[in-house]
Each structure stands twice: as structure tokens, then as C-alpha cells.
Amino acid sequence: MTSTGIRLDAPAPGWAIDADVVVVGSGVAGLTAALRCTAAGLATVVVTKARLDDGSTRWAQGGIAAALGEGDTPEQHLDDTLVAGAGLCDEDAVRLLVTEGPDAVRRLITTGAHFDTDDSGAISLTREGGHHRRRIAHAGGDATGAEISRALVEAVRTQAVRTIENALVLDLLKDEHGRTAGITLHVMGEGQHDGVGAVRAPAVVLATGGMGQVFSATTNPSVSTGDGVALALRAGAEISDLEFVQFHPTVLFLGADSEGQQPLVSEAVRGEGAHLVDAAGTRFMLGRHELAELAPRDIVAKAITRQMQAQGAEHMYLDARHFGAEMWEQRFPTILAACRSHGIDPVTEPIPVAPAAHYASGGIRTDLRGRTTVPGLYACGEVACTGVHGANRLASNSLLEGLVFAENIAADIAAGASTPVQDKAVDPGLSAEPHDGPVPLLDPAARIHIQRIMTEGAGVLRSADSLAEAAGRLEAIRADEHKAAVPGVEAWETTNLLLVSRVLVAAAAAREETRGCHWREDRPDRDDAAWQRHLVVRITPERSLDIRPTAGATFPPTAATPLEP
């Protein structure tokens, strides 16, 4: 593992607390890890960027996939996942997910999550794209994420897990041997702690969510600025599969100039029988794939985009008028309310939809126990690349991945835990590892330019030319670093967005094929001979990007040559 010696420009920590483990993020992955670590007797601190329930999990509509229904099996779930992943899933990781998944969901229920049930009391299951069986458990109709978040937040508060809210993670702390020693963070607003401080711990779990804010239009909340991936890169960790950004096919179209978080129209709407149509009412998914509207997301997103191009249209439509008012109100109340708030009534008219950035299949490379290439640093949830999703995430596998891998991380930390620690006095000399100067911070005004560059050059459609132009424009922004901004939340976020964008564009340019949700117009075919492998990216001490392919679809170990004291 190579140390980069790179960190953000930030004041020295003015306060510090100690713990056995610090979990960064409060979605399904982060809170599950925190609860399991606490149950194992570990002093655990949860750090979250906003409030405990403000992460991406609460926005999840469709549900959580697991082989819970009669006749369904983990093997069938595995097959569907491998097909969706377009030849790049790590089969061992997928097998772990689908085998441990059903019991993980049952444990979530015992934690307090309530899923919708049928008249017999059994969990109601629906279908989504890429699934050949009804295996998606949902809650509140289309409010699954909100219910899971509610249950986990309540459990964290009941167990009095120590939390630090409204805190942006900055960089990783390391000891003299290069092992994880905690994090630096900035707490926004008043509270027990304020300003830049540190949580010192021998184990750090990154569960910071996605990076959808690198694009102009996304389903991700405003906090999803790739902070975890950027931190890991600066710490010397390996990143993989960042070129595989899933664009959700059916996002409510609010206008060509709409930016920021956009309302999602869940795939479960198509799972219940909604049709994709053009302005003339013609279904265009028939004949394109055996599952029609329920094809994997990359196929549906590409079909919508092609149809838009062919007809010179800005969007297509999702038609579910045949559901009737009662079904809309009972099964999809959240989506119904969102549509009506924008002047669209899906009971009486088709919903205008277009693809938007939704989910990062890639992230910080981990093994089956969530360990990264930096000793003591773990990652789970959307920030991680476990190998489960391959080139395209199967619908509703994300919540399950967060559950399963968070539990494995907690077990791994507990197995190697040291004696619990106590809070210590502030160490004025506390800092990140030795470095050759902090990263100059970008003016927050660059954020919108980064997002537009990424949307235009590295969005649904990509090519060598578009990616080269995007790389050049991003480099021009980076070259302007001498016009550095003063340290602050917006400057730190914008600097993280630039780093993540540069890596994404570099990986997308290197992968000269079309696979899964990576669509190269100039390389329209899938090339298994050359590209059935992952791209692993890291930052060198000279701050350049090192990109190398793996030998195949299975990831190499993350700790093949562990550091010795």
C-alpha cells in the first residue's frame, strides 16, 4: 500500500475524541455497521454529514431484494445479478450477498423495520428490472428506504450510540506504520464540538454514500459529493469500476435546464405493469429485450436515450394510468405526491421521464469482509466496490449489499478488536500523516462547471472525443488551483467533486468498449477478450493517477502484502 501524503487544506484539529471504531455515514450500511459494532462491545462513534436520517437510504423507493418468496432461491438471485453485471461481477461476492441476504433482511425486521405484507401476513414481494421472480420487499408502498432509515435511526438512539451530526469528514489519520488511526472532520454549527476536530480510532468504516452530485441532474441528495471516495484516494486506497455510473431510466423530467436532485420514479412502477411509451403512445421496449420494460437498467436507459435521439425529444413517458387512483394512492403514494407537486397527475396522464445519474457501481475496492487496501480502513454501501454489481447494479441489490457487508465488517473488526479506549485530552499536534503540502481548495463556484462538464462529456453517452474534452476542461479547473479558496464546507466538497470526476473520466476513457452502464458511442461492442476485467485506480505520491487492469473479473486480495510494524 502506497501512502500519498496528500490531504485537504484545513485547520489543525482543535478537539479530539477516541473510540474503537468510527463509522462515517448514516444510511443502511453505516448504521448497521454501527449497531453491530456496538453490540460487540466496541466503543463506536457515528459521524454523518447532515442529520442521521438525511442520507441516500431514505430516498430508496423500490425495496430490498432477497430470495424470500416461495420457489425463489439464492441461486436464482445470483443468476439475475450476474446477468445484470455484464460479465464483471465477482461471483464470490455475489454468492455471499444472495446467500446471507435473506437472514440479513430478517435481522433487519427484528431491528424494527416493518415491510408491507399480504392478507396472510407474509411479506409482499414485487418485481423490478432484471429480476425473473418477485423478490423485492417494500415498505409503505414506495417508501422502503424511509422505513429502513427510521428503524435503524431509532435503534441507534435507543442503544445510545455516540453520534456526531452535521459533520463533513476530511481526511484519514494514520499511525507511523501507515495503519488507520482515525479521521479528521469539520462539524458545522453549534454542538458539543464545533469546527475541525478528530475521532481517533484503529478502525474506520466509510459508508458515505454516492457521488451523484458530480452530474448536473441526479437522484442523489445534495450531500452525495463523493467525499468517501476522495478521502480514500488521498489516503492511498485503490478505487475500482468508477466508470460504471448507473443512470436511472425513469426520473421525472422537470425541464432540460433542471439541475440538482430530481424526483425518482421507482422501477417498481414498471414492476407492477407500467409501460414506457413515446409521445404517440407507442411502447418502444417491446422486441428490444425479453423482459421489455423490466430489462436491466442500462438497457432501458439506453433504449430511452436512443428513442429520444431518433425523435428529437427531450423525454419519453411512463404510462400507468391503468393502475387507477386506488392503486396509485396505496402502492405509490410518495411518487404520486411528487408528480402532483410538479403539476403531473399519473392517474390521468403519462409521466414525462428521462435518465439521470443514480448509482455508482464502483468505489473503494474491498474484499468480502469490507477491508480496503489501507489497513484498518473499511468501506460498505455505495461508496464501496465489493464486486457485487459488476458493470451494472441489479435493481434493489444496493440496500441488501449495505446490510450484508456492514455485518461482515462489524464481525471482522470485533474479531481483531483491541482493548476499549477512553476519551483523551486534545492533542494539539494531532494531524494527518506526513505530507508534502495540502491540496489547494477550489472556489465553490467551480462546482456547477464540474457538473456540466461531466454531464456533457461523461453522461449516458460517451466517446473518446467527449471524454478527452471533459478531461481537458477538468484539468483547466485543476490548474486554477493557485486561486485557492479558503477552507470551508463548500470548498472541500467542490475539491472532492473534482478529484472524483477526474478519476471517473480517466477510467471511462481507458475502457474502450461498451459494457453495462458504460456506453461508448465510438466503441459500441462489448469486448470480453480485452475488457472482462476491472480497472483499479490510485493516486501516486506525485499526485498523478495510476490506472491498471486486473487479470480478470475476480478482484485480487486487498491485503496481499500487509504492512509490518
Side-chain angles (χ1 to χ4, degrees):
M1 189 277 301
T2 302
S3 174
T4 69
I6 302 171
R7 65 173 175 84
L8 289 173
D9 185 6
W15 54 270
I17 61 175
D18 286 356
D20 294 320
V21 56
V22 54
V23 177
V24 187
S26 60
V28 61
L31 295 187
T32 298
L35 287 167
R36 297 295 181 267
C37 285
T38 299
L42 299 172
T44 305
V45 174
V46 174
V47 173
T48 186
K49 195 172 181 180
R51 299 190 310 272
L52 277 181
D53 61 353
D54 267 349
S56 294
T57 290
R58 76 181 182 95
W59 297 99
Q61 295 174 345
I64 184 167
L68 297 166
E70 184 178 353
D72 197 4
T73 64
E75 198 69 26
Q76 294 176 68
H77 190 182
L78 180 142
D79 290 342
D80 285 345
T81 301
L82 295 180
V83 170
L88 273 191
C89 295
D90 185 317
E91 188 167 339
D92 289 340
V94 178
R95 192 170 297 281
L96 173 73
L97 177 83
V98 300
T99 302
E100 297 188 3
D103 283 343
V105 173
R106 295 182 185 104
R107 284 189 290 273
L108 180 61
I109 293 171
T110 64
T111 302
H114 301 290
F115 291 95
D116 296 338
T117 56
D118 58 25
D119 293 340
S120 69
I123 295 175
S124 296
L125 300 172
T126 189
R127 280 182 68 194
E128 291 187 4
H131 292 273
H132 284 78
R133 282 190 174 273
R134 299 178 74 91
R135 65 167 65 97
I136 317 299
H138 48 84
D142 58 357
T144 310
E147 169 58 17
I148 290 174
S149 180
R150 179 207 63 75
L152 292 174
V153 168
E154 185 174 304
V156 162
R157 288 176 173 155
T158 297
Q159 296 189 25
V161 179
R162 190 169 189 173
T163 61
I164 302 176
E165 296 181 280
N166 302 307
L168 172 65
V169 65
L170 299 176
D171 280 303
L172 191 72
L173 294 169
K174 293 183 180 179
D175 64 19
E176 64 272 23
H177 304 299
R179 292 186 172 91
T180 295
I183 58 166
T184 55
L185 67 162
H186 174 79
V187 180
M188 301 165 272
E190 298 180 359
Q192 182 179 357
H193 302 291
D194 199 7
V196 175
V199 180
R200 297 180 290 209
V204 172
V205 180
L206 293 179
T208 53
M211 56 182 196
Q213 290 292 324
V214 301
F215 296 97
S216 296
T218 177
T219 62
N220 289 190
S222 60
V223 295
S224 298
T225 50
D227 307 315
V229 169
L231 175 151
L233 280 162
R234 288 192 296 271
E238 293 181 350
I239 307 299
S240 190
D241 295 357
L242 217 60
E243 67 270 31
F244 296 117
V245 177
Q246 188 176 81
F247 286 77
H248 198 287
T250 54
V251 175
L252 183 62
F253 182 76
L254 301 180
D257 297 327
S258 295
E259 295 180 328
Q261 186 178 10
Q262 312 287 299
L264 175 67
V265 181
S266 170
E267 197 155 316
V269 178
R270 280 175 281 138
E272 296 292 352
H275 302 144
L276 282 166
V277 299
D278 60 17
T282 302
R283 289 180 66 184
F284 55 86
M285 284 305 300
L286 295 175
R288 290 180 184 263
H289 190 275
E290 62 169 329
L291 296 177
E293 280 89 357
L294 288 177
R297 286 179 178 174
D298 63 309
I299 294 172
V300 179
K302 290 172 186 176
I304 291 174
T305 302
R306 287 193 181 103
Q307 201 75 1
M308 289 162 54
Q309 289 178 322
Q311 298 185 359
E314 293 182 323
H315 61 81
M316 290 288 110
Y317 293 92
L318 187 65
D319 192 352
R321 290 174 290 179
H322 55 285
F323 284 4
E326 183 178 356
M327 181 173 175
W328 267 110
E329 290 165 0
Q330 293 183 2
R331 180 67 178 86
F332 301 111
T334 306
I335 298 170
L336 179 63
C339 289
R340 284 177 170 170
S341 71
H342 291 285
I344 300 158
D345 188 350
V347 176
T348 61
E349 59 187 317
I351 306 168
V353 293
H358 181 56
Y359 190 88
S361 292
I364 308 165
R365 188 169 82 80
T366 75
D367 63 11
L368 299 186
R369 288 185 277 180
R371 299 178 298 186
T372 74
T373 51
V374 175
L377 179 65
Y378 297 79
C380 57
E382 190 173 354
V383 73
C385 181
T386 63
V388 160
H389 304 308
N392 182 47
R393 174 179 68 100
L394 180 65
S396 288
N397 266 357
S398 51
L399 292 176
L400 189 71
E401 182 196 32
L403 273 180
V404 170
F405 282 84
E407 291 186 342
N408 282 358
I409 285 173
D412 194 70
I413 294 173
S418 57
T419 304
V421 296
Q422 304 295 324
D423 282 8
K424 299 178 182 177
V426 173
D427 176 3
L430 187 65
S431 64
E433 61 180 305
H435 57 85
D436 55 2
V439 176
L441 302 178
L442 293 181
D443 186 326
R447 176 170 177 156
I448 192 170
H449 299 296
I450 294 170
Q451 292 170 329
R452 289 174 179 171
I453 290 168
M454 293 298 291
T455 297
E456 294 167 8
V460 179
L461 289 173
R462 303 166 178 174
S463 68
D465 290 343
S466 76
L467 292 165
E469 182 176 353
R473 293 170 68 187
L474 292 173
E475 183 59 32
I477 291 176
R478 188 166 80 105
D480 247 2
E481 285 179 341
H482 63 277
K483 300 177 181 177
V486 297
V489 172
E490 292 183 345
W492 288 319
E493 285 185 333
T494 304
T495 303
N496 285 339
L497 284 172
L498 178 63
L499 176 56
V500 172
S501 297
R502 288 177 55 223
V503 174
L504 192 161
V505 168
R511 182 172 290 279
E512 297 180 333
E513 66 160 354
T514 289
R515 182 186 296 270
C517 50
H518 172 61
W519 187 5
R520 286 280 297 262
E521 288 182 287
D522 57 329
R523 301 279 184 169
D525 298 320
R526 172 171 154 177
D527 184 356
D528 281 352
W531 288 108
Q532 195 166 8
R533 62 193 69 221
H534 303 274
L535 288 172
V536 174
V537 185
R538 66 179 184 91
I539 296 182
T540 69
E542 296 73 34
R543 304 192 181 189
S544 62
L545 299 181
D546 174 49
I547 304 176
R548 56 185 172 83
T550 60
T554 300
F555 278 123
T558 56
T561 54
L563 293 179
E564 295 295 336

